[in-house]
Amino acid sequence: MSVRVRLKDVASAAGVSVAAASLVLNDRPIRMSKNKRKLIIETAKKLKYVPNQNARSLVTNTSMLLALLVPDIENYFFASLAKRIEDTCRSYGYSLIVANSDDKEKIEHELLIQLDSQDIDGLFLIPSQESVKDKAALKAEVTRMSCPVILTDRLLGMDWCDSVGSNNYSGGRQAAEILVRHGHKRIACISGDRESDTSEARKAGFLDGLSEAGFPINPELDVNGDYRFGSGYEAADSLIDKGATAVFCCNDLMALGFINRLNERGMKIPDDCSLIGYDNTLNHLGVGQNLTTFDQGIAEMAKTCSSQMMRRISELQKDARNKTWLESPVTHVLEPTVVYRGSVRNFSSTTN
């Protein structure tokens, strides 16, 4: 049975006091030669010393814990984003707690209280749709938090808190431009949850893009989905029977449902209908390999969130009264990029 190496063991082996070893290993200020500092660090590595997090927290006044609150961890996009944020947090030496609100304001409220009581150093918050509707209440919840908060993914058009997200309007507009450029005129849209600002932004960009190109969407080709496989599947028959030659789905999962139903009818993408999805979340699962889609830059989003969080934590350590994430908030808006995979083809104007 192995014996845990303690801080006093490192200090003894390096010939220094426990206090000196603690300050060096926690990267705290101390008057000491570079050689002595190097000796302490190398001794800790040689002995395979693992810091006691509780003791370290007393020295650094940090828990080295961050939290991410998501609306639905079963959603491929949120799951992928959570993994990337965890990876980047780990690179800074932090552990990440992931909690799920089920997209409910009440559960979100309870979790915020619980997480704050655990003395987390920072929170990445993807607000529930119910919270999005009541922005004043959400602002009050965030303001009460004792740690930095970064509104993540759902930007909400707010300027009162740090936020990082993607330009959904731009992505929808680009989707319209691509389909029009390929000669399509009977173009359909399967939007996500109507209560979702994210979905509405994508749809608004798409409809504006069509209108400015001179092809406003036919109301019978404008379908409300719910971001799930079933809504894409159920919309397929109606849209194809009404003559749609191209479809924009506001996420990849609905696009996958659409493809599945077309295949059941003996039809293929893009031979019988062009298709564009959104999120670029399915390819790594072995499906949707041929789906043209929009990548929101999850890796960049996670990196931006984490670096902004580190900046805010550092500022708070210098002045515990300084809530810079609320007093001088910064918004980072990332541009989505199209990933061409062959689900869009040219449509002859003579047959349109």
Side-chain angles (χ1 to χ4, degrees):
M1 182 177 179
S2 61
V3 178
R4 178 187 176 94
V5 176
R6 295 170 296 179
L7 181 61
K8 69 177 184 178
D9 299 322
V10 176
S12 177
V16 298
S17 68
V18 173
S22 175
L23 290 171
V24 169
L25 295 177
N26 285 294
D27 197 25
R28 306 295 288 180
I30 181 175
R31 296 184 66 179
M32 179 181 285
S33 68
K34 291 182 179 179
N35 288 338
K36 199 66 173 180
R37 181 185 292 271
K38 181 179 179 181
L39 174 61
I40 294 172
I41 294 173
E42 290 179 345
T43 300
K45 290 180 179 178
K46 182 179 179 180
L47 295 178
K48 297 182 180 179
Y49 168 69
V50 178
N52 181 300
Q53 187 55 57
N54 291 330
R56 184 176 183 180
S57 295
L58 292 175
V59 175
T60 64
N61 198 30
T62 62
S63 65
M64 300 306 292
L65 281 175
L66 299 172
L68 167 64
L69 184 51
V70 301
D72 180 7
I73 197 60
E74 291 184 338
N75 180 295
Y76 292 139
F77 174 79
F78 294 139
S80 182
L81 179 59
K83 181 184 183 304
R84 294 300 185 114
I85 289 179
E86 182 177 25
D87 290 343
T88 55
C89 288
R90 188 184 302 115
S91 72
Y92 287 106
Y94 282 81
S95 297
L96 182 72
I97 300 171
V98 179
N100 184 75
S101 71
D102 288 336
D103 228 4
K104 302 295 184 182
E105 184 178 24
K106 182 177 183 297
I107 298 176
E108 181 179 274
H109 169 74
E110 294 170 352
L111 286 171
L112 288 175
I113 293 175
Q114 291 176 19
L115 292 170
D116 205 25
S117 70
Q118 294 181 44
D119 293 325
I120 56 174
D121 291 334
L123 171 69
F124 305 102
L125 173 61
I126 306 177
S128 66
Q129 289 300 338
E130 292 181 358
S131 292
V132 171
K133 295 177 188 176
D134 191 352
K135 294 179 173 60
L138 176 61
K139 181 178 180 179
E141 290 272 19
V142 171
T143 302
R144 280 195 294 268
M145 295 293 290
S146 56
C147 65
V149 177
I150 295 181
L151 298 176
T152 306
D153 179 45
R154 294 175 175 174
L155 295 177
L156 314 179
M158 300 179 189
D159 58 359
W160 52 264
C161 183
D162 281 352
S163 56
V164 179
S166 178
N167 190 338
N168 290 286
Y169 178 88
S170 173
R173 192 181 185 91
Q174 289 181 62
E177 293 170 352
I178 290 169
L179 294 177
V180 169
R181 191 164 63 244
H182 281 77
H184 294 276
K185 297 177 182 177
R186 295 276 301 173
I187 303 173
C189 176
I190 306 177
S191 59
D193 188 340
R194 282 180 293 180
E195 302 297 331
S196 166
D197 285 16
T198 297
S199 174
E200 287 302 292
R202 292 174 192 173
K203 181 178 178 179
F206 184 72
L207 297 184
D208 285 351
L210 291 182
S211 294
E212 291 193 15
F215 304 109
I217 195 168
N218 188 314
E220 65 181 7
L221 300 181
D222 186 0
V223 177
N224 290 315
D226 60 7
Y227 276 148
R228 292 175 172 83
F229 177 95
S231 60
Y233 180 93
E234 292 167 4
D237 284 328
S238 175
L239 295 179
I240 292 301
D241 292 343
K242 290 174 181 176
T245 66
V247 178
F248 170 54
C249 291
C250 284
N251 81 337
D252 289 345
L253 199 54
M254 291 190 298
L256 189 61
F258 186 89
I259 292 172
N260 194 71
R261 179 54 188 149
L262 257 65
N263 289 343
E264 290 178 351
R265 293 181 53 163
M267 304 174 74
K268 294 182 179 180
I269 299 291
D271 296 347
D272 298 297
C273 184
S274 290
L275 183 67
I276 295 179
Y278 210 103
D279 283 341
N280 193 28
T281 56
L282 299 179
N283 194 49
H284 71 285
L285 298 175
V287 293
Q289 294 95 331
N290 297 321
L291 177 64
T292 293
T293 185
F294 280 85
D295 192 315
Q296 296 196 63
I298 291 178
E300 185 62 25
M301 190 180 297
K303 180 180 178 181
T304 303
C305 281
S306 299
S307 62
Q308 181 70 2
M309 182 64 76
M310 295 305 109
R311 187 177 302 113
R312 294 312 194 190
I313 290 174
S314 176
E315 291 169 349
L316 190 60
Q317 288 175 332
K318 295 176 182 177
D319 183 355
R321 300 165 300 176
N322 189 7
K323 288 192 172 185
T324 50
W325 62 95
L326 296 172
E327 296 162 358
S328 54
V330 176
T331 297
H332 297 272
V333 182
L334 308 178
E335 284 296 321
T337 56
V338 62
V339 181
Y340 290 100
R341 293 203 183 99
S343 63
V344 177
R345 72 173 181 90
N346 288 326
F347 191 84
S348 172
S349 59
T350 60
T351 59
N352 201 348

